[in-house]
Amino acid sequence: MKVFIDPPNSMILFDLVERFGHEPLSSMAVIQEKVDNIEVDMPPMNVTLEDVIKGLKYAGIEVPSGIRGRLALWGPMIDAADAAIVIENPPFSFGCVGCDRSNELTKYLLQRRGIPMLTVAYPNDAEGAKSMVGQIKEFLDNLGKGAKA
Amino acid sequence: MTIRIAQLSCGTEYSGIQFEIESAARAVGAKIVYPDVSYDQVQEALDRFGFRPKSQQLQLMIARAVSLADEKYDADAVFITTCFRCAEAALVRNELRRFIQEHTRLPVVTYSFTERLKASQLLTRMEALVTIVTRKELLARERQTGLTAGLDSGSSTTKAVVMQDNKIIGKSWTASGDVVQSATQVLEEAMKQAGVELKDIEAIGTTGYGRFTLGKHFNAKLVQEELTVNSKGAVWLADRQRGEATIIDIGGMDNKAITVRDGVPDNFTMGGICAGASGRFLEMTARRLKVEIGELGDYAVRGDWRNAKMNSYCSVFGIQDLVTNLGAGKVFEDVAAAACRSVAEQVYEQQLQEIDVRHPIIQVGGTSLNKGLVKAVGEVLGEEPIVPKDSQYIGAVGGALLSSGFLGD
């Protein structure tokens, strides 16, 4: 199943989703596609005005352009997701360099979709980390079962 | 020498404008750099800075600023930019600008962008940053020497002055049309007044939107953006070469608010997003009132803005307010005063919040001849601005003064 991860650029979440047999939906994939495109217009990430305008589908014109640009990339993934895993309050090292306004909207859009969603607090110690991985594993395992059923 | 401009930003990549920022820097011989910080430094920087925004990219901006303040990263100037309309970013942008100015001597420019930003809109700002870094000695020049001329090709008017031994001996202006033709006309008039010929002029300095075209045509020794040139002209005209000052230049198309220390700018903003706070808006007002632009200020001084409020951030909506007021039978004087008040308020709200106003305030540019606007600016700021004699010639004076630096005295 397609699982949207939040933060959308978390390598750890990407790895966990893939390891437990699902397809992660992440920033890395869409950005790689843009960066690899030979017609590079707007390096480094090649987000163009067209993308920002596309983002209007998810956020109105009065919203800052950085949010619309992000949502132009993340929005279609949210639309395509069968499930989502959200880590609350992640630090930089978890793969998150972002705009919190975009993060708030992303979580809202995920909730609105009504897909299975796991929200986990970022762990502060080793025990917490084990528990987080355990919860994610259980969520992903159940997703698989649900799909088969 | 490549000038390193440290970029502290949020949202530029996702807005698709990072390339435009880098292009603008490249066009003026500068390079955009990003101060390196480690994860631990981010936490330390946030604790020290005392402001903890929710957005991680804003947190990164703070850590990069602290790295510059601690001289852990080497840069020549700082460009702080965030998304237009983001309240959290606006707070961080302003506080970071203050922090950089308190802890470093690096020139700073702040900017809020939309996805429509093009490199050309940033060129003047980037060029000014580069000028401040590379031409410190020239900008410190306090006296004009020899026989030089300055040409200021602005969006609305073209001005020329001829200076000799630190005195203006000829000056002229005209409405801008063909760039070269307008400049030739005013230069000839200024030379006639001064009693000199073109062959006698030892150096010419050009500034304003048409500076490159004029620089080439007149073989100018100095071709420079208007931020640094105008601030130099303003402090010379106001005789405030030493110490601090704030220069407010409400132009035909954009406004500049510049803080200077000993005549050298260290922070500036240029209006960019809204046209409601420009000289053009006053022109439109005068046209609608069917009065000469020169008379508008006299009307405004006699009026009371409270009787005809105009509260808009847009020139089109501003004129709509004006028409509504006239339709409701308001008197011309009150409407003219309201138009001036509206411009003054917008300059205060949009631009002066991005710099720390230093005293005295020197108001210059063509619009400073409008007494109503000067009065409105004084009321909004709570301090009467200094309007030096020949205040509309700042760019041309700055050009003549700075170009004399190439003569070797």
Side-chain angles (χ1 to χ4, degrees), chain B residues 32-240:
Chain B
I32 293 290
V33 294
Y34 314 92
D36 305 320
V37 286
S38 67
Y39 171 64
D40 289 340
Q41 279 175 294
V42 177
Q43 300 308 317
E44 282 169 26
L46 291 174
D47 290 341
R48 183 170 145 198
F49 192 64
F51 191 128
R52 192 174 280 274
K54 287 280 278 177
S55 288
Q56 294 89 345
Q57 205 161 335
L58 291 174
Q59 294 179 8
L60 183 62
M61 276 176 77
I62 293 172
R64 285 180 163 159
V66 169
S67 172
L68 287 171
D70 290 347
E71 294 181 354
K72 286 181 183 158
Y73 191 85
D74 188 28
D76 303 303
V78 186
F79 179 54
I80 305 177
T81 191
T82 57
C83 287
F84 179 54
R85 300 190 192 100
C86 177
E88 188 178 43
L91 293 173
V92 171
R93 191 176 68 228
N94 206 32
E95 293 313 314
L96 273 190
R97 192 258 312 147
R98 279 207 183 102
F99 178 82
I100 295 275
Q101 286 200 294
E102 274 169 21
H103 292 87
T104 75
R105 295 301 296 258
L106 299 173
V108 187
V109 64
T110 54
Y111 191 76
S112 60
F113 59 82
T114 71
E115 67 279 14
R116 301 271 172 182
L117 175 72
K118 292 287 167 243
S120 56
Q121 289 162 259
L122 290 179
L123 263 185
T124 301
R125 294 165 177 88
M126 293 288 183
E127 197 185 341
L129 281 179
V130 169
T131 304
I132 293 165
V133 176
T134 56
R135 292 190 157 171
K136 267 190 184 140
E137 281 178 30
L138 185 68
L139 290 176
R141 188 169 189 83
E142 292 183 3
R143 288 180 61 79
Q144 183 271 348
T145 53
L147 179 66
T148 63
L151 290 168
D152 178 4
S153 176
S155 63
S156 293
T157 56
T158 303
K159 284 89 52 180
V161 301
V162 176
M163 292 179 77
Q164 187 165 32
D165 301 330
N166 212 35
K167 281 197 183 75
I168 298 172
I169 57 168
K171 62 193 175 192
S172 180
W173 73 273
T174 187
S176 291
D178 177 85
V179 169
V180 173
Q181 217 170 42
S182 308
T184 307
Q185 179 197 326
V186 289
L187 181 61
E188 278 173 1
E189 287 165 5
M191 287 191 302
K192 196 174 169 193
Q193 208 180 92
V196 298
E197 290 180 26
L198 190 58
K199 64 176 172 52
D200 304 322
I201 305 247
E202 295 170 272
I204 291 179
T206 65
T207 189
Y209 285 99
R211 62 187 177 278
F212 295 111
T213 307
L214 294 186
K216 205 170 163 190
H217 182 81
F218 289 101
N219 194 22
K221 286 214 162 45
L222 176 96
V223 179
Q224 204 155 295
E225 38 62 45
E226 52 271 31
L227 282 158
T228 53
V229 175
N230 286 12
S231 51
K232 200 66 215 172
V235 293
W236 185 89
L237 283 169
D239 196 18
R240 299 278 174 166

Side-chain angles (χ1 to χ4, degrees), chain B residues 112-395:
Chain B
S112 60
F113 59 82
T114 71
E115 67 279 14
R116 301 271 172 182
L117 175 72
K118 292 287 167 243
S120 56
Q121 289 162 259
L122 290 179
L123 263 185
T124 301
R125 294 165 177 88
M126 293 288 183
E127 197 185 341
L129 281 179
V130 169
T131 304
I132 293 165
V133 176
T134 56
R135 292 190 157 171
K136 267 190 184 140
E137 281 178 30
L138 185 68
L139 290 176
R141 188 169 189 83
E142 292 183 3
R143 288 180 61 79
Q144 183 271 348
T145 53
L147 179 66
T148 63
L151 290 168
D152 178 4
S153 176
S155 63
S156 293
T157 56
T158 303
K159 284 89 52 180
V161 301
V162 176
M163 292 179 77
Q164 187 165 32
D165 301 330
N166 212 35
K167 281 197 183 75
I168 298 172
I169 57 168
K171 62 193 175 192
S172 180
W173 73 273
T174 187
S176 291
D178 177 85
V179 169
V180 173
Q181 217 170 42
S182 308
T184 307
Q185 179 197 326
V186 289
L187 181 61
E188 278 173 1
E189 287 165 5
M191 287 191 302
K192 196 174 169 193
Q193 208 180 92
V196 298
E197 290 180 26
L198 190 58
K199 64 176 172 52
D200 304 322
I201 305 247
E202 295 170 272
I204 291 179
T206 65
T207 189
Y209 285 99
R211 62 187 177 278
F212 295 111
T213 307
L214 294 186
K216 205 170 163 190
H217 182 81
F218 289 101
N219 194 22
K221 286 214 162 45
L222 176 96
V223 179
Q224 204 155 295
E225 38 62 45
E226 52 271 31
L227 282 158
T228 53
V229 175
N230 286 12
S231 51
K232 200 66 215 172
V235 293
W236 185 89
L237 283 169
D239 196 18
R240 299 278 174 166
Q241 304 253 23
R242 291 295 168 103
E244 297 184 330
T246 302
I247 296 155
I248 299 177
D249 178 5
I250 302 174
M253 209 159 72
D254 54 38
N255 310 316
K256 297 153 202 94
I258 310 161
T259 55
V260 292
R261 189 176 282 126
D262 293 336
V264 179
D266 55 5
N267 184 207
F268 48 84
T269 69
M270 268 178 93
I273 286 170
C274 164
S278 66
R280 191 60 50 88
F281 177 66
L282 294 175
E283 274 177 28
M284 289 161 76
T285 303
R287 203 176 308 137
R288 179 61 186 81
L289 295 178
K290 284 197 171 175
V291 299
E292 287 297 315
I293 180 76
E295 292 173 54
L296 187 75
D298 299 330
Y299 273 93
V301 169
R302 294 197 296 271
D304 185 348
W305 60 271
R306 291 170 195 82
N307 297 332
K309 283 187 183 169
M310 285 167 67
N311 197 5
S312 173
Y313 267 76
C314 159
S315 56
V316 173
F317 292 146
I319 294 297
Q320 200 175 46
D321 280 348
L322 182 141
V323 170
T324 307
N325 274 309
L326 290 173
K330 307 283 182 188
V331 296
F332 272 24
E333 283 82 355
D334 290 344
V335 172
C340 292
R341 174 81 186 190
S342 164
V343 170
E345 277 180 353
Q346 288 178 50
V347 169
Y348 174 70
E349 289 165 19
Q350 285 182 56
Q351 292 192 270
L352 295 181
Q353 46 107 6
E354 295 209 344
I355 60 168
D356 284 324
V357 174
R358 297 178 192 156
H359 307 279
I361 295 161
I362 306 171
Q363 192 173 343
V364 288
T367 55
S368 63
L369 302 178
N370 181 323
K371 289 177 196 151
L373 183 59
V374 175
K375 183 183 167 200
V377 168
E379 282 173 359
V380 167
L381 295 180
E383 176 185 326
E384 202 179 323
I386 297 170
V387 180
K389 187 171 175 280
D390 294 325
S391 59
Q392 74 273 40
Y393 288 103
I394 38 160

